[in-house]
Amino acid sequence: MRFSVIVPLYNKEEFVERTIQSVLAQSYSDFELIVVDDGSTDNSLTVAKDCAKKNEEKCQIVSQPNGGVATARNNGVAHAKGDYVCFLDSDDWWEPDFLSEMAGLIDRYPEAGMYGTGFYLVKNGQKRIAPIGIDSNFDEGYINYCQVYAKTLCMPITSSSVAVSRQLFLETRGFRKGISLGEDFDLWIRLALKNKVALVAKPLANYFQDIPPSKRATRRLHDPQTHMLWNFDYLREEELRNRDLKILLDRLRASGLYYYFLSKEYHSATLDQIAKIDWSNVSPKWYKRYHSPIWYQRILVVSKKRMSAVKQICLKLLRKLKKA
């Protein structure tokens, strides 16, 4: 079997059928689908089981107590039989040729340890190609993962646009438990630092961003112990000798820690991470934000949030008017 597709599922009853159907509708047929329900408290498991009943030869449903997305993905791989594992979040979906294109990429670049495709960002009902940092004339090939990611800070590899050798995944010990924000990047960077990464630029996955804020991990502050940016001590020596990695991590720290820096709860914990930044690697705008009066920055953030809320209300009204 070529591919095992792992779908971690937690309280996504309104989206998971679309996700599952996008896998079952693939033009490439040599795959199995493993849905891992992570202790959902809504109707997600029932929806998944209904989809599986119609496709029992392809689908397997695994249930576990709630343990987080990293545990769910690792559990899915433990049940997998494919040579390569793909992951698809339960609110995202694939284009029909995702697996076909991925199979071709693997055949053409057999030395890679990790493979990815371009993807769409789906927000406010609109699709746009994710602005990952590849050249406009790039079609496919090996990439420098750190350099590409650092250009735009839009992940070139996501948890819904990736394929990894199952054996390599197991050797790398999969996703680290206990990290709830950035557990995917933590794995991708470990793989990318030791293996070649191949990418096809064609957008073949859909990264859905219109789910309610309460269900998005990126819309709230996390305990630093569960945030990837506080858990990179194991990369410290590599960061000191690998300039590409250093630039990427500095830019991720500057952009990812800003709201923690402004918060009263996590401000002190953030200072230690900010101290690691070489500001010559980062846009001057971030230096200004971290070095101007904090009260001023807090006022700006509150104002931007209010303006964004008003914008979202207006967009919803416009969509309703268009449907009317």
Side-chain angles (χ1 to χ4, degrees), residues 66-94:
N66 181 249
V69 68
T71 299
R73 293 191 187 119
N74 289 343
N75 194 9
V77 176
H79 286 79
K81 299 180 178 65
D83 299 314
Y84 292 86
V85 290
C86 299
F87 302 95
L88 181 60
D89 288 350
S90 55
D91 48 10
D92 296 339
W93 68 97
W94 286 340

Side-chain angles (χ1 to χ4, degrees), residues 64-276:
Q64 66 176 41
N66 181 249
V69 68
T71 299
R73 293 191 187 119
N74 289 343
N75 194 9
V77 176
H79 286 79
K81 299 180 178 65
D83 299 314
Y84 292 86
V85 290
C86 299
F87 302 95
L88 181 60
D89 288 350
S90 55
D91 48 10
D92 296 339
W93 68 97
W94 286 340
E95 298 297 312
D97 291 333
F98 177 87
L99 287 180
S100 176
E101 292 280 351
M102 192 66 83
L105 191 67
I106 291 169
D107 290 340
R108 293 188 294 275
Y109 302 92
E111 295 182 2
M114 180 166 61
Y115 301 85
T117 78
F119 57 97
Y120 293 106
L121 298 174
V122 184
K123 188 172 184 179
N124 298 322
Q126 303 293 318
K127 292 171 64 169
R128 68 182 180 98
I129 297 175
I132 60 178
I134 54 176
D135 295 335
S136 58
N137 60 352
F138 179 91
D139 292 321
E140 66 174 40
Y142 294 116
I143 63 169
N144 181 318
Y145 178 87
C146 291
Q147 285 185 0
V148 169
Y149 194 176
K151 284 182 181 179
T152 63
L153 292 188
C154 182
M155 290 182 71
I157 303 289
T158 76
S159 54
S160 293
S161 61
V162 68
V164 181
S165 158
R166 179 165 62 92
Q167 184 60 38
L168 182 59
F169 180 93
L170 295 173
E171 291 173 0
T172 314
R173 299 186 178 181
F175 296 95
R176 277 207 292 167
K177 299 177 183 178
I179 300 180
S180 57
L181 184 64
E183 80 294 328
D184 49 354
F185 171 71
D186 173 77
L187 176 56
W188 311 152
I189 197 64
R190 283 186 278 129
L191 289 168
L193 289 174
K194 294 184 178 181
N195 303 274
K196 291 183 177 180
V197 179
L199 180 77
V200 57
K202 186 183 299 184
L204 296 164
N206 293 274
Y207 179 17
F208 187 60
Q209 298 183 304
D210 278 343
I211 63 174
S214 61
K215 293 187 177 183
R216 289 189 61 83
T218 55
R219 297 292 180 88
R220 57 186 172 84
L221 298 184
H222 291 240
D223 185 318
Q225 293 183 350
T226 69
H227 192 302
M228 68 174 185
L229 291 176
W230 271 273
N231 286 276
F232 283 143
D233 286 344
Y234 71 93
L235 290 176
R236 190 60 181 162
E237 290 186 8
E238 179 75 18
E239 182 181 353
L240 292 175
R241 62 175 176 264
N242 184 331
R243 178 161 175 74
D244 291 334
L245 175 63
K246 174 62 175 170
I247 291 172
L248 173 60
L249 292 183
D250 280 349
R251 292 179 182 179
L252 287 173
R253 288 175 179 128
S255 63
L257 294 174
Y258 179 59
Y259 290 105
Y260 292 84
F261 175 74
L262 295 183
S263 75
K264 295 180 180 179
E265 183 177 4
Y266 299 123
H267 177 80
S268 296
T270 306
L271 294 178
D272 290 338
Q273 299 302 320
I274 297 302
K276 298 175 182 178

